[in-house]
Every structure is written in C-alpha cells, then in structure tokens.
Amino acid sequence: MAAQHDAPLETLFLPFASGVLSWPAGPVLFLRARDGWPLREHAQPGQLVCEQSFRPFADALEASGWTVRDEQQLADDRTRYAVVLVLPPRQREEAKALFARAVALAAPGGIVVACQHNNEGARSGEGDLQQLTGLGGKLTKNHCRAYWTAPLNGQHDAALAQRWATLDAPRAILGGRFQSRPGIFAWDRIDPASALLVEQLPADLAGRGADLGAGFGYLSAEVLARCPGVTALDLYEAEGRALALARENLARLDKPATLAYHWQDVTAGIEAEYDFIVTNPPFHTPSRADRPDIGQRFIAVAAQALRPGGRMWLVANRHLPYEQILNESFGQVRVAAERDGFKLIEATKASKSATPARAPRSTEPKWGRGGRA
C-alpha cells in the first residue's frame, strides 16, 4: 500500500496540477513509479506505463490498475512517450543512467519531469539533468525539488547520454567473483553485517534453506560453499534488479543444490517449510526511511516458515528492537557474535514435542543487553 503522504510523488505532479505544465493526451511513462492519488488525478486508464523493480511498490501499482513493465520490456518496446516522469534514486550513478534512459524513451517534443526530496540528492539531480538536456523549469515544495526539461528535439548532449546510460550496468566486483551494479544494497563490497554472519556460519546447515533479502547473492553463495549438506536453497528478494544478479552469480557455482528465485516481498509472508534460514533483513525502504518493523516482520515470517527445530541465523544492527519478536517467535535465542555495532543471532524454533513449563512472566529478554544468551 502506498504511503498516505508521499512528498516527492506529490511534488512531481505539482507542475501539472498548478498549470505550469500541460498533461499530455499521449502515452506517459513513469520510471521508479510509486502509487498514490496524484496518478489518479492526472493519468487516464491505459495511458500510463510504470516501471518499478521493487516488488511492494510494483504490487501497489498493479493493485490500483496501472500497467507495470520492467526495464527489459521497455527496452524491447518501441513506444516513445510524451512525458517521462522520474523519481530518481539517491545513488548518483544509477540516477544518471536513469536520466539517460528517460531522454531516450521520450518522444520528439516530449519532456522529462523529475522530483527528489532535498535530503535525497535533489540539488545534484537537478544539476545532472541540466547538464544533460538543459532545464525548462523547476519548482520547490514539500521539502522537495521538481525540475524538468524543455521539449526534447535532439538538443541534449548525446555523447554524455551514451556515457551515462552505462553507469549502472552490471559489472564484476570482488575480483570477478560476483556481478553487481550501482543502486543495489552494498553493491560494490561485502557489507560488514553479512561478513559477520558468514564468519560464524555453521557448516552443519543442511536440507532445504532460504535466504530472506538475498541481494546479489553473497550469503547464498557462501551457504552453498560452506555447507555441503544443503540440498535446496530459495532466494527471496524484493528488488528485481538485485535478484537478477543473484541468479547470474549463483549460476556460476558448480553445486548440486536445487535453487529457486522469488521476486517477493517477504513481509507479505512465504509459503514453504525450511530447515534453516539466513537473513540480513533491511530496516529501511528505498527512500531510506527508518523502518525497524520490516526486520521484525522478517523474523516473524521466518519463524512461521521454519520446521520445528529449524534454525534462523540473523544479523542486524545492534540497536534494532528485535528482542521481543525473537523471544515471542522462537524457542531458543542466543547472541552468537557481536562486532562493529552488529549482532548475530541464532534462533531455534521450538519442537512440537517440547512442552516447556511456563515460568512467571518477566520483562527481561531471553538475551541481555550485554549480548549473552
């Protein structure tokens, strides 16, 4: 479900709502689209095509009846658009590549309209689009900046657009072991939380497992390399761009395990039973809003998906409030390691045969602030 107040989305449509720009009769493309009331105020059914690789946002758009396409589908389609709307990401290389694609997908005489929150790179984004095409106008409201091109008739810097178009292309990282691309979480490195989990990963993980929030596949690759008893591994990832990379990265491995890839919002629940789960859950949205409830929901979903006696290995920032949901969802919880502000948790689902005596209710968590079980 879209947020009730989405300042960049509302400000993006403000030039049309205020009459500064005219809404076209022709087709409109919305890159990095999000659902909300401004779409319904302006776009007609069948007029608007949305591109969104983040599954919760894509689901919300489709639930409202909008057409959602992925990057490859747009590349294969020859349609050119009277207006291309853009909500640029914070990662600058990814944003520049998105601007280059927006210009390429605009029809002759079409315009590109973008908007960002002031704290999410708005000034840089405006400067980048101005460098590429020149600006036709801009306005500020809701702590956001909307800016747009003049009608495009080939006057943009074509050589610059060609260079920018490749800035977020997949490329080899970590000595060629993985493929990644700008805009993916920790796209050019192993983040320290995942590194901590891998260092403590037990070799006895076996059977069918899942990686919740798999990113470009680093944790899954390490599970397969270090745990020979794993027979099947399911990767769940809400960001489609990351999941495509994970599929490519794991295809390089010579491992007998059965692999499955799910472009899915884990917080919506998963329907499977697993012997183990590994996860480094997100705790913010693509707009970088702090959302510890996302990680809490990952924990609850993992507990539901594990068989009795199954184990979850979770790594998280130490300050995140996960104690209560861990204690409520699992039979045993212990802190396996701590380092650099991160905590690694091993949580075991209670066995069906276990009938522990009920102790008096305590306000203390099963593991203390000092990080010991």
Side-chain angles (χ1 to χ4, degrees):
M1 180 181 296
Q4 291 184 352
H5 178 59
D6 186 333
L9 177 67
E10 294 170 19
T11 309
L12 177 69
F13 281 84
L14 190 59
F16 302 102
S18 63
V20 175
L21 295 175
S22 298
W23 188 260
V28 175
L29 176 63
F30 192 176
L31 301 178
R32 299 294 194 272
R34 296 199 291 265
D35 187 37
W37 59 263
L39 281 69
R40 293 182 283 278
E41 283 201 346
H42 295 279
Q44 300 300 314
Q47 180 189 32
L48 182 67
V49 174
C50 300
E51 180 192 82
Q52 178 53 258
S53 58
F54 185 60
R55 189 58 186 261
F57 292 167
D59 286 346
L61 289 161
E62 290 185 331
S64 292
W66 304 114
T67 298
V68 180
R69 297 283 183 264
D70 62 28
E71 186 174 341
Q72 188 57 53
Q73 288 171 322
L74 287 180
D76 294 340
D77 188 355
R78 296 183 179 274
T79 302
R80 293 298 176 262
Y81 298 87
V83 169
V84 181
L85 304 168
V86 188
L87 289 175
R90 185 168 184 164
Q91 212 286 336
R92 196 169 182 184
E93 289 180 297
E94 183 188 8
K96 286 181 174 182
L98 199 63
F99 284 145
R101 281 211 302 127
V103 170
L105 290 165
I111 62 171
V112 173
V113 185
C115 184
Q116 292 167 278
H117 194 280
N118 291 338
N119 293 333
E120 297 293 329
R123 189 175 296 277
S124 295
E126 178 189 330
D128 289 339
L129 187 62
Q130 183 172 17
Q131 181 184 5
L132 181 63
T133 66
L135 289 185
K138 60 182 177 180
L139 57 79
T140 59
K141 192 173 183 179
N142 303 319
H143 303 289
C144 296
R145 184 182 300 258
Y147 47 95
W148 56 91
T149 69
L152 294 168
N153 289 293
Q155 75 273 28
H156 67 279
D157 188 331
L160 185 63
Q162 187 174 12
R163 291 198 300 274
W164 282 10
T166 63
L167 287 179
D168 76 335
R171 67 202 68 176
I173 63 167
L174 303 175
R177 185 181 177 198
F178 296 100
Q179 289 283 312
S180 188
R181 64 191 300 190
I184 303 303
F185 171 69
W187 77 271
D188 59 350
R189 66 192 187 281
I190 302 305
D191 70 281
S194 294
L196 176 61
L197 193 158
V198 166
E199 288 174 14
Q200 301 291 326
L201 194 66
D204 65 347
L205 293 181
R208 185 183 183 191
D211 182 352
L212 307 186
F216 62 75
Y218 169 68
L219 280 181
S220 290
E222 291 290 351
V223 166
L224 294 171
R226 294 166 183 260
C227 306
V230 173
T231 58
L233 189 62
D234 289 0
L235 285 75
Y236 292 85
E237 174 56 51
E239 176 51 61
R241 298 166 79 244
L243 190 64
L245 292 164
R247 184 187 297 271
E248 180 178 351
N249 288 329
L250 268 63
R252 302 174 171 201
L253 303 180
D254 183 20
K255 299 294 179 182
T258 300
L259 303 178
Y261 302 87
H262 306 271
W263 181 44
Q264 189 167 330
D265 177 10
V266 168
T267 66
I270 57 180
E271 296 182 4
E273 186 175 72
Y274 295 105
D275 299 298
F276 70 89
I277 286 173
V278 296
T279 183
N280 179 4
F283 59 94
H284 54 73
T285 65
S287 63
R288 303 185 71 84
D290 198 6
R291 290 281 306 278
D293 59 298
I294 297 176
Q296 292 167 347
R297 180 59 182 157
F298 267 56
I299 293 167
V301 168
Q304 293 167 358
L306 283 167
R307 64 166 179 79
R311 291 182 289 169
M312 176 185 70
W313 286 80
L314 172 144
V315 67
N317 289 55
R318 193 172 185 274
H319 74 276
L320 292 171
Y322 291 165
E323 291 89 343
Q324 181 176 348
I325 187 65
L326 282 163
N327 292 336
E328 291 174 349
S329 303
F330 289 89
Q332 296 179 359
V333 178
R334 74 178 183 95
V335 177
E338 288 187 273
R339 188 177 69 213
D340 300 331
F342 299 104
K343 55 190 176 188
L344 176 63
I345 309 300
E346 180 189 21
T348 305
K349 187 170 181 177
S351 172
K352 287 181 179 179
S353 61
T355 55
R358 290 186 177 273
R361 183 173 179 84
S362 171
T363 57
E364 290 297 318
K366 294 179 185 175
W367 42 279
R369 292 178 61 85
R372 296 291 182 264

